[in-house]
Amino acid sequence: MKRYRVMYRSTESAENEMARFEEVDADGWRVDSEKVVLYQSAAADADDTPVFDVPKSRVMRIQEISG
């Protein structure tokens, strides 16, 4: 599992640049139609488990943290 730092705006408004940070342990991330999802991988016969999501219009940066 990896650790990601997700930086995103707290509101939809680009004028309000109040950024928030979340550190999330996940196996990977993907972009769905409306949101960015960080997930944990499941067994071969099961779906991935979402652990964090945020609307893709609010995401500013996703950074993998090495450690």
Side-chain angles (χ1 to χ4, degrees), residues 4-9 19-23 29 36 38 52 54-65:
Y4 294 94
R5 180 176 293 135
V6 182
M7 185 170 88
Y8 61 98
R9 289 189 303 272
R20 297 187 63 181
F21 295 91
E22 296 285 338
E23 290 191 4
W29 61 276
V36 174
L38 283 82
F52 181 81
V54 64
K56 68 181 184 179
S57 61
R58 293 184 187 184
V59 174
M60 299 167 78
R61 180 183 311 175
I62 298 176
Q63 177 182 9
E64 184 179 333
I65 302 170

Side-chain angles (χ1 to χ4, degrees), residues 13-47:
S13 174
E15 294 174 12
N16 182 2
E17 289 294 324
M18 188 65 161
R20 297 187 63 181
F21 295 91
E22 296 285 338
E23 290 191 4
V24 181
D25 292 324
D27 291 320
W29 61 276
R30 66 177 177 263
V31 179
D32 287 347
S33 61
E34 297 294 322
K35 57 189 170 182
V36 174
V37 179
L38 283 82
Y39 62 88
Q40 291 181 356
S41 294
D45 59 346
D47 293 333

